[in-house]
Amino acid sequence: MTAAQAAGKGVAFDPFEPGFVDSPYEQYARLRDADPVHWSGMLQGWVLTRHDDVASLLRDPTVSSDLDNASPTTVVLRQRERQALGGRRSDTLVLRDDPDHNRLRKLLQRPFGPRPVEGLRRMVSARVDAAIAELAPQGAMDVIADFAYPLPVAVFCELLGLPDEDTPRVREWIRAVARMLDPVLDDDEYDRCNQLMNELYGYLEGQVEAKRRAPADDVLTQLVHAEDDGDTLTRDELVAQLVTLYVAGHEPTTALVGNGLLALLRQPEQLELLRARPDLLPNAVHELLRYDGPNQFVRRIAAVPITFGTVRIAPGDVIYVGIGAANRDPDRWTDPDRVRVDRADAARHLQFGAGIHMCLGSHLARLQAEVMLGAIVHRLDDVALAGEPVWSDRMVLRGLRHLPITYRAA
């Protein structure tokens, strides 16, 4: 399908459309209704917006995550050039297919399973308690800058055994890496982010070598010495995975807390229900992930012909899998544009993916969000917006830059 044919259907994927940053879901709905398997001339790839299409593609073992398997469009060649400049980024498991992906995941997954992560609840709660104790008397804060952005990085640094004083630098680096996920980034912004990412790689390489010389009781030491049937991670592989884990464990958590709290403030009856029913908090986190989760798209490459209805996707075509759109599909969800913290099937959202690439950091992200949102809901009274929220302009990772609120200590 050509761009002209797509435009003839009266819709087009356009992340620069006025209002898209504040809420992309109206555009997703138009695409889902008129052209659910949509050829984007801007991205030179397909955009999927129906739940069942997205779910089946995420679970399809024939679909690739490796950009080397994509046909050489202008966009793909540009992304490959940038990936080559970054060099070590291609070592990350999110850009690998099996068997390489499975090998890396087996070496990494043990510290991030449900049981080890639940064991971190006390540490996460202690950090959240300290932050709330400091913020509560102030009566106002920017939820992102003062609470939701600093805490996940501090948690992950403690988890890895890295110094607390390094967390401000790490936060800046992680923000740059997350920005680089967008396929519509201009050259100047990309160069700035790439420089910061290289600084992060250099920092982590030094930390890995320090743990190799002086092992400690922390997750980074576990990963440095991880072994599976004699297989171990090279330094470059380990550092690439650490960058991925930082982004996966930090940016989505920050966005979930900010997006989720804003959704609850805009639907106050759900906030009150959550205050009255603390037992609903784990389910509420799932529902907020479904309703306005951070992960809006993942990129995949067709390795064999794929057919959706009358549309045939050719091998080598790039596919932008619309997770955010799928989680609002009315053919899958009842009343999808409303938050319902007691929604019975909320946990079946696709926010963390599906299949072999299911997000490794999902348990840690949910734990942190549960503790952080719980602290705001149950320890602060009369929480209200104190100004207009400001959204980031990212296409792939959706989140707020600023969320000003007022409150009083409970």
Side-chain angles (χ1 to χ4, degrees):
M1 181 184 297
T2 66
Q5 288 171 318
K9 295 190 175 186
V11 294
F13 177 73
D14 181 8
F16 300 107
E17 178 184 75
F20 183 89
V21 166
D22 289 343
S23 176
Y25 299 104
E26 293 76 16
Q27 187 179 127
Y28 296 162
R30 296 196 303 270
L31 287 166
R32 196 168 49 234
D33 291 343
D35 194 16
V37 186
H38 171 73
W39 176 259
S40 168
M42 177 182 296
L43 299 177
Q44 296 178 2
W46 299 93
V47 177
L48 303 185
T49 49
R50 285 186 301 216
H51 176 277
D52 290 353
D53 295 344
V54 167
S56 68
L57 196 85
L58 289 172
R59 296 185 174 98
D60 186 342
T62 70
V63 176
S64 176
S65 296
D66 189 339
L67 197 62
D68 286 344
N69 292 321
S71 298
T73 66
T74 304
V75 173
V76 165
L77 291 173
R78 188 183 194 86
Q79 290 173 344
R80 284 180 184 165
E81 180 183 354
R82 288 177 170 182
Q83 190 168 295
L85 286 173
R88 296 160 293 188
R89 286 204 309 282
S90 60
D91 285 327
T92 178
L93 81 168
V94 299
L95 298 178
R96 297 280 193 92
D97 298 330
D98 282 343
D100 289 340
H101 170 270
N102 184 56
R103 170 187 165 260
L104 291 170
R105 193 176 182 97
K106 285 169 68 176
L107 288 164
L108 289 165
Q109 64 188 2
R110 185 172 298 171
F112 300 100
R115 186 173 296 178
V117 167
E118 183 58 33
L120 300 172
R121 185 176 291 271
R122 182 176 297 179
M123 180 266 282
V124 174
S125 296
R127 284 194 174 266
V128 171
D129 288 347
I132 289 291
E134 181 179 343
L135 292 165
Q138 298 177 17
M141 66 167 150
D142 181 339
V143 173
I144 307 304
D146 298 331
F147 185 67
Y149 206 83
L151 271 168
V153 171
V155 165
F156 207 74
C157 282
E158 181 169 345
L159 180 68
L160 293 178
L162 304 183
D164 258 4
E165 57 265 27
D166 290 343
T167 57
R169 286 192 299 161
V170 174
R171 289 202 301 268
E172 182 183 12
W173 290 329
I174 295 302
R175 183 185 283 115
V177 176
R179 183 73 171 121
M180 292 173 74
L181 296 174
D182 274 14
V184 292
L185 203 61
D186 66 46
D187 287 341
D188 288 344
E189 180 74 353
Y190 180 86
D191 290 343
R192 183 189 70 82
C193 291
N194 193 50
Q195 180 179 344
L196 291 169
M197 191 193 69
N198 287 333
E199 291 176 13
L200 174 60
Y201 267 88
Y203 170 79
L204 290 173
E205 285 169 351
Q207 294 297 326
V208 165
E209 292 308 312
K211 297 296 182 183
R212 212 181 292 278
R213 292 192 303 269
D217 183 18
D218 53 49
V219 167
L220 182 50
T221 298
Q222 290 180 46
L223 296 176
V224 166
H225 298 282
E227 181 178 335
D228 181 67
D229 290 335
D231 187 22
T232 60
L233 294 163
T234 68
R235 187 189 69 174
D236 286 350
E237 286 176 337
L238 176 53
V239 171
Q241 310 328 308
L242 289 172
V243 172
T244 298
L245 289 167
Y246 256 121
V247 175
H250 172 241
E251 285 284 337
T253 303
T254 298
L256 171 55
V257 172
N259 301 8
L261 180 60
L262 178 60
L264 291 171
L265 291 171
R266 287 175 167 171
Q267 299 181 50
E269 76 286 353
Q270 295 299 305
L271 179 58
E272 289 309 308
L273 176 57
L274 196 53
R275 290 176 69 91
R277 293 275 310 278
D279 60 296
L280 287 175
L281 186 57
N283 194 73
V285 169
H286 279 298
E287 171 66 351
L288 295 170
L289 283 162
R290 180 205 68 81
Y291 175 77
D292 195 10
N295 297 311
Q296 294 290 298
F297 291 94
V298 295
R299 184 187 65 198
R300 296 288 185 265
I301 296 95
V304 299
I306 303 172
T307 301
F308 293 106
T310 61
V311 179
R312 181 182 182 276
I313 296 177
D317 282 0
V318 176
I319 308 166
Y320 292 89
V321 187
I323 292 172
N327 283 334
R328 293 277 197 106
D329 187 344
D331 287 339
R332 168 60 184 84
W333 307 96
T334 302
D335 199 14
D337 295 323
R338 296 287 299 172
V339 171
R340 288 168 41 195
V341 296
D342 58 352
R343 188 183 295 271
D345 59 350
R348 299 186 66 183
H349 62 83
L350 297 172
Q351 180 58 208
F352 291 121
I356 66 168
H357 282 282
M358 186 79 173
C359 179
L360 194 62
S362 61
H363 302 297
L364 181 59
R366 286 193 292 108
L367 171 68
Q368 291 182 89
E370 183 181 323
V371 175
M372 293 167 73
L373 282 169
I376 293 175
V377 169
H378 298 296
R379 295 179 58 183
L380 302 178
D381 284 339
D382 299 330
V383 179
L385 284 173
E388 282 299 310
V390 178
W391 291 94
S392 72
D393 57 357
R394 297 178 306 201
M395 170 191 140
V396 172
L397 275 176
R398 172 170 165 79
L400 289 157
R401 285 181 178 166
H402 301 288
L403 180 61
I405 63 169
T406 56
Y407 52 85
R408 62 183 179 84

